[in-house]
Structures are given as structure tokens and as C-alpha cells.
Amino acid sequence: MNDIIRTLVESFGPSGCEDRIRAIIRELVEPCVDEVRVDALGNLIAHKRGTGTGKRIMLSAHMDEIGVIVSYIDEKGFVRVQPIGGVNPMLEIGGRVQFESGIVGVVSYSKLPNGAQVPGFDQLFIDVAASSRETCPVKVGETGCFLQPMIEVGGHLTSKAMDDRIGCAVLIETLRQLGTTPHDVVAVFSTQEEVGLRGATTAAFGVAPEVGIAVDVTLSPDTPEPGIKMAVGLDQGPAIKIKDGGMIATAWVKDWMIATAEANTIPYQLEVLVGGTTDARAMQTTRDGIASGCLSIPCRYVHSPSETVSLSDVQNAVKLLVAMLSAVCPAN
Ligand code: CO
Ligand code: ZN
């Protein structure tokens, strides 16, 4: 699975610019499903037909990653950017940004305003070795994302885009391993999640599922003095979401996840996340309401260039989803 994960996490795809990552995912899922289509918002929708005795189940993992968009080039050719999604400028300093055209620049910052402790986007600049606005190889409106190869240390995988390419990897691997299923499984690789669940919002309406399950990362505050009290850590199994900042998981969907994990002795954790939300919110609140839940991959340093997950948590997430989708669900 590591090769697929590496391919996915090292690809380019900030919100609104998912064409390249979508083409990669399309090639990987096409052999495992009955049909694949792309909707107007760019969501990739892969449908595996069931035997007809189950539910219509939408799975969703977002393809997009956080990044930047060029808002201004100054007279000396330094590139100024605005964030796409929740980017912390402090975490980008000293790193590199790759733009759509392939050009790579170095991120640094100018003098902080009086009283400021950390730089904001107004102080951030990207050096692409240009000497003037006219000769700058990067243009206003171009997007960029952070450039970091994936590393693998002690069973942990680190990259700039675990959020949420690791969820995409889980869906792809689930589709690969899933044999005959009672359910009509519709796997959506959604767009523009990081700017407000926009892809999943239209995809959920279009797919009109009976059950929605998102796969996304959640915080793993098992690091020195994290400052939040949350019972989630790496290497202890995927986290079954109970609640986050935008959704309370539908009770029977959450219970279905727990019962399946127990029955198959798959390790799991229970997640109560204070802020943030996932595509599950968009699914749950579409149409006249859809029973929805979320399976989370615990992730340290979310929205940094070194998002870190545990490979065993990822593998156990696949196991759990395959087990869930292989049998009829409790609401049948
Ligand atoms: Co995110
Ligand atoms: Zn995410």
C-alpha cells in the first residue's frame, strides 16, 4: 500500500486544482468498479454495484490539499500569496512551495509589524529567483502546494498531504479488496473540502445515498503538552468519530462501526474532536438528511508540511471498511 500512498501524497492538488490528482486516482480505481464519472465540481465518483440486498452507501475522501494562491508579485519579483484552506504561515517558513507550472520557490518572511510575534500572510514571501515583476515565472492566480517527499520511519508515514490523500488511499484499497457486496457502494473522491466541503456538498446531493461515511484525518494530540484533552493517538487503530465541530455522527452508523470492529478484533478509538469537520457533515445534511458517520485516521501535525500517520492505523481502517461493506448493515 506504501507505493500508492507515496504516489497520492506527493501529487499536486490544492483545492480547486484537483485535475492531476484526480487523473491518478481514476487510473487506480477504474479496474475495481463498474463505472466512474466526474461531476461539474470535479468530484470523481466511482460506483461498485451491489447484489441489491443492501443500502446505497456513499464513501467520501477529499482529493484536495491545503496550499496557496498567488495574489501579488512585487517589483523585485518576490511572490506574495494568500492561503487556500487553513494554512499556518509559521509552519511554512524555510520550506518550499511548488507552483502549478512546476516552478519551486523558498518561503521566507519580512520584518514583523510592531508587537507581532509570528508572521502573517502579509509578511510571507516566496523567492523564485526572479529579479523583477516582469520576469517572474509565476503569475497571479496560480496555485501552489508544499513540496515534501514522503518519509517512512518506525511504521509512521510523514508527508505534506496526508490530509486527505491517506483517506483516498483507504478508499482505493477498500475497493480493491472488496469482493461481492450487498451494497451499492459509491466512492467519492471529493474536491474543495479544505475551503468548505464544497465538492462533497454537491456530490452527496447527486449521489443521494442512504448512508454516508467519510474517511478523513483527525488530530492526534499524543505529543508533548498538546494543550487539548482528546483520547486519540497514533498506532491504536482508526478513530470512530462521535462528534466534531460540524457533525454528531448518526448513532446507528457509529454503532455499526464499533460492532464491526469488535466482531473482527480490529483496534479502534473513539473520537470527540472539538473543532473542524469533514465531508460527513455535507452528506448528513444533504436532501432530507442522510445517516452518516466518519472513520478517522489519527494524524500528528495536521495542516503542516509533515503530517504524520501510522501505517497500521491505515491498514486497520481498510479492514474495518471492508468488513462493514461485506455484510448487510444493522438498518437493513
Ligand atoms: Co484538512
Ligand atoms: Zn481533511
Side-chain angles (χ1 to χ4, degrees):
M1 208 179 162
N2 283 18
D3 290 345
I4 289 188
I5 296 173
R6 181 181 295 277
T7 303
L8 296 178
V9 299
E10 290 185 352
S11 300
F12 182 92
S15 312
C17 238
E18 296 95 349
D19 301 37
R20 291 178 212 173
I21 178 68
R22 184 175 54 237
I24 290 166
I25 294 175
R26 184 173 194 143
E27 207 165 289
L28 292 167
V29 295
E30 238 156 16
C32 341
V33 296
D34 296 298
E35 60 175 330
V36 175
R37 66 185 174 90
V38 176
D39 73 6
L41 259 78
N43 297 296
L44 181 72
I45 300 172
H47 182 190
K48 179 178 165 71
R49 277 187 216 103
T51 57
T53 54
K55 297 280 185 197
R56 185 170 173 79
I57 300 181
M58 172 169 159
L59 308 174
S60 188
H62 66 89
M63 296 187 283
D64 61 312
E65 64 187 299
I66 58 169
V68 294
I69 185 160
V70 180
S71 56
Y72 183 74
I73 316 276
D74 71 22
E75 39 310 325
K76 289 185 173 162
F78 290 98
V79 178
R80 302 304 180 112
V81 295
Q82 291 297 319
I84 295 177
V87 182
N88 181 344
M90 202 177 75
L91 298 177
E92 311 308 340
I93 289 159
R96 293 133 202 222
V97 163
Q98 182 163 40
F99 292 98
E100 276 175 76
S101 58
I103 295 277
V104 176
V106 176
V107 184
S108 194
Y109 66 105
S110 51
K111 185 170 175 286
L112 302 188
N114 280 341
Q117 301 283 315
V118 292
F121 272 90
D122 286 342
Q123 286 78 49
L124 216 65
F125 62 81
I126 301 174
D127 178 351
V128 291
S131 52
S132 71
R133 182 178 288 144
E134 291 67 35
T135 59
C136 182
V138 172
K139 303 296 168 215
V140 168
E142 217 177 303
T143 60
C145 62
F146 308 104
L147 189 65
Q148 285 285 351
M150 184 178 92
I151 58 165
E152 204 187 330
V153 183
H156 292 177
L157 307 177
T158 296
S159 113
K160 49 106 183 168
M162 283 302 166
D163 179 10
D164 184 29
R165 304 282 164 69
I166 200 66
C168 297
V170 167
L171 293 202
I172 293 166
E173 192 59 28
T174 298
L175 290 171
R176 283 188 161 182
Q177 291 184 19
L178 187 62
T180 306
T181 167
H183 308 290
D184 244 348
V185 178
V186 185
V188 173
F189 299 87
S190 66
T191 56
Q192 299 190 37
E193 188 273 352
E194 295 291 356
V195 292
L197 318 176
R198 294 174 194 169
T201 299
T202 62
F205 188 93
V207 169
E210 293 167 287
V211 183
I213 297 173
V215 180
D216 204 339
V217 299
T218 190
L219 301 183
S220 178
D222 55 343
T223 49
E225 298 184 47
I228 58 170
K229 299 269 180 271
M230 185 182 169
V232 171
L234 297 195
D235 306 311
Q236 297 165 56
I240 296 171
K241 192 185 292 286
I242 307 220
K243 179 190 182 298
D244 62 24
M247 184 195 69
I248 296 168
T250 305
W252 75 258
V253 177
K254 170 205 68 175
D255 291 341
W256 177 28
M257 290 182 182
I258 293 172
T260 308
E262 298 275 355
N264 294 275
T265 53
I266 299 166
Y268 68 94
Q269 317 177 59
L270 294 177
E271 175 202 352
V272 177
L273 177 69
V274 177
T277 197
T278 70
D279 283 353
R281 178 198 166 89
M283 292 189 277
Q284 192 179 44
T285 56
T286 195
R287 293 182 175 257
D288 49 0
I290 306 294
S292 298
C294 176
L295 190 62
S296 297
I297 308 299
C299 181
R300 289 181 187 164
Y301 325 121
V302 172
H303 286 198
S304 84
S306 293
E307 298 177 328
T308 300
V309 302
S310 146
L311 183 60
S312 73
D313 293 344
V314 174
Q315 289 164 335
N316 281 314
V318 173
K319 252 193 211 171
L320 180 52
L321 277 180
V322 170
M324 288 173 72
L325 297 173
S326 298
V328 291
C329 67
N332 248 47

